[in-house]
Amino acid sequence: MRMALANWRAISRGPYKMLQLAEEVFESHEMKLWIILLLCILQLLQGSRSTNYEVIGDEKTMDIVCDAQEDKGNVPLRQILDISGLTFEVAEDLETLYYNGDIKVLMDVPSGPIGMQVDVFRWERNEWIPTPLCLKRDSLCNSLTNPREIWYPLFRKIPKNEMICPPKKGHIYTLNNVSNHEFVRNMPHADIAGDLKAVVHLSSGDLKTCAVVFFKVYVN
């Protein structure tokens, strides 16, 4: 009981006390090295949790069309979705946009899961440079309503009765004051500040398409 109490007191006083206790308990040099390495990793992870990001979508995202080099699809997104019914209003800060209107589905999407892969690029030295950031989902439909996903603040504003996925031809998704300006808090730190674009590849059955999203990221 006394040993357990001593361990708890050492842990509560921080990693350095933990290391001192470990040196008393373990005689092996290899064990000491592993403890030191583990404590360093824990300290780094603890420091990385407090990073907040400000994300602002660019109005040219309305184009959504990938260029020929990026596109690996066999059906252009414009043949799947009609976004001509969308409009946006500019807020007083001249950066925040509020989107309103309808997105209409122009063709039946296969009933199987919709796979998604996102690759992120940063604008540097007048060209788009690949970053290590990527995102892959085996089922886009399942992830749309997940509060832990970064796009949840956008899709939660679509009426629940419209959140049908995969959609059928003629289905309509309605946007009501959906903002391009979001804050993502308490995320691991990554060197992603700047002008970015995300190339999104979607696939379902034999159907493949591509979309591109432009945005800015600030680290707070």
Side-chain angles (χ1 to χ4, degrees):
M1 180 67 179
R2 292 179 180 177
M3 184 65 178
L5 181 59
N7 291 352
W8 170 249
R9 287 174 177 171
I11 292 172
S12 65
R13 291 174 186 170
Y16 297 105
K17 288 294 183 182
M18 290 175 63
L19 180 57
Q20 184 179 2
L21 175 63
E23 288 178 341
E24 296 173 356
V25 175
F26 299 103
E27 295 297 331
S28 167
H29 292 292
E30 293 182 358
M31 183 63 73
K32 291 179 183 178
L33 289 174
W34 277 110
I35 293 172
I36 293 172
L37 178 60
L38 178 59
L39 289 175
C40 290
I41 292 174
L42 289 175
Q43 286 294 95
L44 289 172
L45 289 177
Q46 183 177 8
S48 70
R49 294 193 189 108
S50 61
T51 304
N52 299 324
Y53 299 96
E54 182 181 4
V55 183
I56 302 177
D58 196 299
E59 66 271 14
K60 62 177 176 286
T61 289
M62 295 285 286
D63 295 335
I64 69 175
V65 178
C66 297
D67 62 31
Q69 186 176 9
E70 298 165 340
D71 198 349
K72 301 176 183 177
N74 54 18
V75 179
L77 190 62
R78 291 287 194 181
Q79 294 183 16
I80 302 174
L81 297 177
D82 178 10
I83 64 170
S84 62
L86 286 183
T87 61
F88 64 85
E89 298 178 1
V90 182
E92 293 182 358
D93 62 7
L94 302 181
E95 287 186 315
T96 303
L97 307 177
Y98 293 98
Y99 290 92
N100 292 278
D102 295 336
I103 300 175
K104 185 176 181 180
V105 181
L106 300 177
M107 60 181 294
D108 289 331
V109 177
S111 59
I114 300 175
M116 180 185 71
Q117 179 167 332
V118 182
D119 297 295
V120 179
F121 300 79
R122 179 162 54 187
W123 184 252
E124 296 181 14
R125 299 182 295 276
N126 295 319
E127 63 178 330
W128 290 107
I129 305 297
T131 74
L133 297 177
C134 63
L135 184 67
K136 187 175 182 180
R137 294 290 182 269
D138 294 328
S139 176
L140 174 63
C141 295
N142 290 342
S143 69
L144 289 181
T145 56
N146 186 347
R148 296 184 178 180
E149 297 285 8
I150 59 175
W151 49 73
Y152 179 74
L154 301 177
F155 287 96
R156 70 179 178 179
K157 296 184 179 181
I158 295 177
K160 290 184 178 180
N161 63 317
E162 295 182 6
M163 285 299 295
I164 298 174
C165 188
K168 296 296 184 181
K169 181 179 179 180
H171 186 73
I172 293 177
Y173 297 103
T174 303
L175 303 187
N176 184 21
N177 286 332
V178 174
S179 174
N180 71 325
H181 197 165
E182 297 293 340
F183 291 88
V184 183
R185 305 184 188 280
N186 300 321
M187 296 293 289
H189 179 76
D191 183 19
I192 59 172
D195 293 306
L196 305 177
K197 75 170 178 178
V199 180
V200 184
H201 295 285
L202 301 168
S203 61
S204 179
D206 295 331
L207 188 152
K208 297 179 181 180
T209 192
C210 179
V212 62
V213 179
F214 297 90
F215 55 101
K216 296 179 183 292
V217 172
Y218 303 96
V219 178
N220 296 325

